[in-house]
PDB file of all heavy atoms in Angstrom:
ATOM      1  N   PHE O 171      14.178  82.097 281.315  1.00  0.00           N
ATOM      2  CA  PHE O 171      13.472  81.622 282.518  1.00  0.00           C
ATOM      3  C   PHE O 171      13.448  82.639 283.656  1.00  0.00           C
ATOM      4  O   PHE O 171      13.323  82.264 284.820  1.00  0.00           O
ATOM      5  CB  PHE O 171      14.114  80.313 283.038  1.00  0.00           C
ATOM      6  CG  PHE O 171      14.366  79.294 281.971  1.00  0.00           C
ATOM      7  CD1 PHE O 171      15.655  79.032 281.530  1.00  0.00           C
ATOM      8  CD2 PHE O 171      13.324  78.602 281.395  1.00  0.00           C
ATOM      9  CE1 PHE O 171      15.889  78.100 280.529  1.00  0.00           C
ATOM     10  CE2 PHE O 171      13.545  77.669 280.388  1.00  0.00           C
ATOM     11  CZ  PHE O 171      14.834  77.414 279.957  1.00  0.00           C
ATOM     12  N   ASP O 172      13.550  83.929 283.332  1.00  0.00           N
ATOM     13  CA  ASP O 172      13.628  84.934 284.395  1.00  0.00           C
ATOM     14  C   ASP O 172      12.500  85.969 284.332  1.00  0.00           C
ATOM     15  O   ASP O 172      12.498  86.930 285.098  1.00  0.00           O
ATOM     16  CB  ASP O 172      14.980  85.648 284.364  1.00  0.00           C
ATOM     17  CG  ASP O 172      15.269  86.313 283.021  1.00  0.00           C
ATOM     18  OD1 ASP O 172      14.334  86.426 282.197  1.00  0.00           O
ATOM     19  OD2 ASP O 172      16.427  86.714 282.778  1.00  0.00           O
ATOM     20  N   GLY O 173      11.551  85.795 283.422  1.00  0.00           N
ATOM     21  CA  GLY O 173      10.420  86.710 283.345  1.00  0.00           C
ATOM     22  C   GLY O 173      10.734  88.063 282.749  1.00  0.00           C
ATOM     23  O   GLY O 173       9.921  88.987 282.860  1.00  0.00           O
ATOM     24  N   LYS O 174      11.879  88.205 282.092  1.00  0.00           N
ATOM     25  CA  LYS O 174      12.286  89.521 281.598  1.00  0.00           C
ATOM     26  C   LYS O 174      12.235  89.663 280.077  1.00  0.00           C
ATOM     27  O   LYS O 174      12.403  90.761 279.567  1.00  0.00           O
ATOM     28  CB  LYS O 174      13.709  89.833 282.079  1.00  0.00           C
ATOM     29  CG  LYS O 174      13.837  89.833 283.596  1.00  0.00           C
ATOM     30  CD  LYS O 174      15.258  90.104 284.020  1.00  0.00           C
ATOM     31  CE  LYS O 174      15.403  89.943 285.525  1.00  0.00           C
ATOM     32  NZ  LYS O 174      14.484  90.805 286.279  1.00  0.00           N
ATOM     33  N   THR O 175      12.054  88.557 279.362  1.00  0.00           N
ATOM     34  CA  THR O 175      12.069  88.647 277.906  1.00  0.00           C
ATOM     35  C   THR O 175      10.842  87.983 277.290  1.00  0.00           C
ATOM     36  O   THR O 175      10.156  87.189 277.932  1.00  0.00           O
ATOM     37  CB  THR O 175      13.331  87.979 277.308  1.00  0.00           C
ATOM     38  OG1 THR O 175      13.263  86.561 277.533  1.00  0.00           O
ATOM     39  CG2 THR O 175      14.604  88.541 277.915  1.00  0.00           C
ATOM     40  N   ALA O 176      10.607  88.317 276.052  1.00  0.00           N
ATOM     41  CA  ALA O 176       9.587  87.648 275.235  1.00  0.00           C
ATOM     42  C   ALA O 176      10.231  87.355 273.893  1.00  0.00           C
ATOM     43  O   ALA O 176      11.118  88.081 273.446  1.00  0.00           O
ATOM     44  CB  ALA O 176       8.363  88.539 275.051  1.00  0.00           C
ATOM     45  N   SER O 177       9.791  86.284 273.235  1.00  0.00           N
ATOM     46  CA  SER O 177      10.348  85.909 271.940  1.00  0.00           C
ATOM     47  C   SER O 177       9.267  85.949 270.865  1.00  0.00           C
ATOM     48  O   SER O 177       8.123  85.571 271.125  1.00  0.00           O
ATOM     49  CB  SER O 177      10.953  84.507 272.001  1.00  0.00           C
ATOM     50  OG  SER O 177      12.003  84.467 272.948  1.00  0.00           O
ATOM     51  N   LEU O 178       9.641  86.399 269.697  1.00  0.00           N
ATOM     52  CA  LEU O 178       8.736  86.438 268.550  1.00  0.00           C
ATOM     53  C   LEU O 178       9.315  85.586 267.431  1.00  0.00           C
ATOM     54  O   LEU O 178      10.533  85.486 267.270  1.00  0.00           O
ATOM     55  CB  LEU O 178       8.551  87.877 268.050  1.00  0.00           C
ATOM     56  CG  LEU O 178       8.084  88.926 269.058  1.00  0.00           C
ATOM     57  CD1 LEU O 178       7.950  90.289 268.378  1.00  0.00           C
ATOM     58  CD2 LEU O 178       6.773  88.528 269.711  1.00  0.00           C
ATOM     59  N   CYS O 179       8.426  84.990 266.656  1.00  0.00           N
ATOM     60  CA  CYS O 179       8.818  84.203 265.481  1.00  0.00           C
ATOM     61  C   CYS O 179       8.286  84.958 264.265  1.00  0.00           C
ATOM     62  O   CYS O 179       7.076  85.012 264.045  1.00  0.00           O
ATOM     63  CB  CYS O 179       8.215  82.797 265.583  1.00  0.00           C
ATOM     64  SG  CYS O 179       8.619  81.706 264.208  1.00  0.00           S
ATOM     65  N   VAL O 180       9.181  85.550 263.490  1.00  0.00           N
ATOM     66  CA  VAL O 180       8.786  86.511 262.458  1.00  0.00           C
ATOM     67  C   VAL O 180       9.316  86.090 261.095  1.00  0.00           C
ATOM     68  O   VAL O 180      10.519  85.866 260.919  1.00  0.00           O
ATOM     69  CB  VAL O 180       9.312  87.920 262.794  1.00  0.00           C
ATOM     70  CG1 VAL O 180       8.895  88.920 261.715  1.00  0.00           C
ATOM     71  CG2 VAL O 180       8.802  88.368 264.163  1.00  0.00           C
ATOM     72  N   ARG O 181       8.421  86.002 260.126  1.00  0.00           N
ATOM     73  CA  ARG O 181       8.859  85.761 258.750  1.00  0.00           C
ATOM     74  C   ARG O 181       8.979  87.098 258.035  1.00  0.00           C
ATOM     75  O   ARG O 181       8.065  87.913 258.057  1.00  0.00           O
ATOM     76  CB  ARG O 181       7.876  84.867 258.004  1.00  0.00           C
ATOM     77  CG  ARG O 181       8.366  84.591 256.581  1.00  0.00           C
ATOM     78  CD  ARG O 181       7.544  83.583 255.833  1.00  0.00           C
ATOM     79  NE  ARG O 181       8.109  83.355 254.498  1.00  0.00           N
ATOM     80  CZ  ARG O 181       7.611  82.530 253.605  1.00  0.00           C
ATOM     81  NH1 ARG O 181       6.541  81.833 253.896  1.00  0.00           N
ATOM     82  NH2 ARG O 181       8.176  82.393 252.430  1.00  0.00           N
ATOM     83  N   ARG O 182      10.123  87.285 257.421  1.00  0.00           N
ATOM     84  CA  ARG O 182      10.368  88.531 256.686  1.00  0.00           C
ATOM     85  C   ARG O 182       9.432  88.593 255.479  1.00  0.00           C
ATOM     86  O   ARG O 182       9.431  87.703 254.626  1.00  0.00           O
ATOM     87  CB  ARG O 182      11.821  88.574 256.221  1.00  0.00           C
ATOM     88  CG  ARG O 182      12.223  89.877 255.572  1.00  0.00           C
ATOM     89  CD  ARG O 182      13.582  89.768 254.929  1.00  0.00           C
ATOM     90  NE  ARG O 182      14.665  89.565 255.876  1.00  0.00           N
ATOM     91  CZ  ARG O 182      15.321  90.548 256.499  1.00  0.00           C
ATOM     92  NH1 ARG O 182      14.968  91.810 256.284  1.00  0.00           N
ATOM     93  NH2 ARG O 182      16.313  90.279 257.327  1.00  0.00           N
ATOM     94  N   ALA O 183       8.628  89.654 255.412  1.00  0.00           N
ATOM     95  CA  ALA O 183       7.671  89.806 254.319  1.00  0.00           C
ATOM     96  C   ALA O 183       8.316  90.574 253.173  1.00  0.00           C
ATOM     97  O   ALA O 183       8.748  91.720 253.334  1.00  0.00           O
ATOM     98  CB  ALA O 183       6.424  90.540 254.802  1.00  0.00           C
ATOM     99  N   VAL O 184       8.420  89.915 252.021  1.00  0.00           N
ATOM    100  CA  VAL O 184       8.978  90.558 250.829  1.00  0.00           C
ATOM    101  C   VAL O 184       7.976  90.419 249.690  1.00  0.00           C
ATOM    102  O   VAL O 184       7.103  89.557 249.710  1.00  0.00           O
ATOM    103  CB  VAL O 184      10.327  89.937 250.426  1.00  0.00           C
ATOM    104  CG1 VAL O 184      11.379  90.214 251.485  1.00  0.00           C
ATOM    105  CG2 VAL O 184      10.189  88.441 250.202  1.00  0.00           C
ATOM    106  N   TYR O 185       8.115  91.282 248.700  1.00  0.00           N
ATOM    107  CA  TYR O 185       7.195  91.275 247.562  1.00  0.00           C
ATOM    108  C   TYR O 185       7.995  91.153 246.264  1.00  0.00           C
ATOM    109  O   TYR O 185       8.970  91.871 246.049  1.00  0.00           O
ATOM    110  CB  TYR O 185       6.366  92.562 247.524  1.00  0.00           C
ATOM    111  CG  TYR O 185       5.468  92.681 246.314  1.00  0.00           C
ATOM    112  CD1 TYR O 185       4.224  92.048 246.284  1.00  0.00           C
ATOM    113  CD2 TYR O 185       5.874  93.411 245.201  1.00  0.00           C
ATOM    114  CE1 TYR O 185       3.406  92.149 245.161  1.00  0.00           C
ATOM    115  CE2 TYR O 185       5.061  93.512 244.086  1.00  0.00           C
ATOM    116  CZ  TYR O 185       3.826  92.879 244.069  1.00  0.00           C
ATOM    117  OH  TYR O 185       3.024  92.973 242.961  1.00  0.00           O
ATOM    118  N   TYR O 186       7.574  90.197 245.434  1.00  0.00           N
ATOM    119  CA  TYR O 186       8.230  90.021 244.139  1.00  0.00           C
ATOM    120  C   TYR O 186       7.277  90.446 243.025  1.00  0.00           C
ATOM    121  O   TYR O 186       6.121  90.034 242.991  1.00  0.00           O
ATOM    122  CB  TYR O 186       8.637  88.562 243.951  1.00  0.00           C
ATOM    123  CG  TYR O 186       9.765  88.136 244.852  1.00  0.00           C
ATOM    124  CD1 TYR O 186       9.501  87.570 246.105  1.00  0.00           C
ATOM    125  CD2 TYR O 186      11.098  88.318 244.474  1.00  0.00           C
ATOM    126  CE1 TYR O 186      10.539  87.192 246.943  1.00  0.00           C
ATOM    127  CE2 TYR O 186      12.135  87.935 245.302  1.00  0.00           C
ATOM    128  CZ  TYR O 186      11.857  87.373 246.542  1.00  0.00           C
ATOM    129  OH  TYR O 186      12.881  87.010 247.377  1.00  0.00           O
TER     130      TYR O 186
END
Side-chain angles (χ1 to χ4, degrees):
F171 313 107
D172 57 12
K174 301 178 186 303
T175 67
S177 299
L178 305 180
C179 180
V180 180
R181 182 173 182 180
R182 186 190 294 273
V184 294
Y185 175 82
Y186 290 92

